[in-house]
């Protein structure tokens, strides 16, 4: 899959879950900011 000779299967097993956890963390942070922070200061 590149210069490091990493196969797609290795990438799928080792890296994908980390990316997915980061994606979910971003969604939760966005929701928390929108619900608790912006609502109290009247931005949204």
């Amino acid at each position: 899959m590149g210069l490091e000779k990493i196969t797609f299967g290795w990438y799928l097993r080792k890296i994908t879950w980390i990316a997915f956890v980061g994606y979910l963390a971003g969604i939760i942070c966005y929701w928390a900011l929108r619900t608790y922070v912006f609502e109290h200061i009247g931005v949204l």
Side-chain angles (χ1 to χ4, degrees):
M1 198 170 129
L3 296 176
E4 301 291 328
K5 303 293 187 231
I6 296 173
T7 64
F8 183 73
W10 182 92
Y11 180 84
L12 202 61
R13 286 191 317 269
K14 304 283 186 179
I15 306 297
T16 303
W17 72 272
I18 298 170
F20 186 68
V21 168
Y23 179 73
L24 289 179
I27 291 172
I28 291 169
C29 287
Y30 175 77
W31 172 80
L33 283 172
R34 187 174 169 107
T35 301
Y36 297 111
V37 177
F38 292 151
E39 187 175 291
H40 291 298
I41 62 174
V43 172
L44 296 175

